[in-house]
Amino acid sequence: MTSAVDKRGSEVSPKFRVLLTASLIPPLIMFGSNIVAVSLPSIERSLGASFADVQWVISAYVLILISERETGPMRAEAPAKV
């Protein structure tokens, strides 16, 4: 496994990697939900659905992303515990 090295040539701390990863997830969730929100009118037209039906699309999308954020670390640790 290769290790990440900063500009000075020293290794980056694993705690810093965790902090960086954890701080990048919320903006990605917001960005993704905005993309889905912008595409809702197109989805509504192509599927012939009502606006209330299409709102379920964004609700399901955000729910999946948030559940992945919350359960991801547990699933990442699972192989190490075996």
Side-chain angles (χ1 to χ4, degrees):
M1 176 197 262
T2 61
S3 61
V5 178
D6 66 3
K7 292 178 184 176
R8 297 179 307 239
S10 60
E11 276 195 37
V12 177
S13 164
K15 289 182 181 181
F16 178 74
R17 290 184 199 166
V18 170
L19 177 65
L20 182 64
T21 303
S23 62
L24 289 177
I25 292 173
L28 289 175
I29 290 173
M30 288 176 40
F31 181 67
S33 62
N34 284 336
I35 289 173
V36 172
V38 167
S39 65
L40 283 180
S42 174
I43 295 170
E44 184 178 356
R45 282 191 303 272
S46 65
L47 296 177
S50 69
F51 185 73
D53 293 335
V54 176
Q55 281 182 324
W56 281 102
V57 173
I58 195 165
S59 297
Y61 181 76
V62 171
L63 180 65
I64 290 169
L65 286 177
I66 291 173
S67 67
E68 288 293 320
R69 176 182 175 213
E70 298 301 320
T71 61
M74 289 183 287
R75 286 183 287 131
E77 289 179 0
K81 291 181 181 179
V82 174

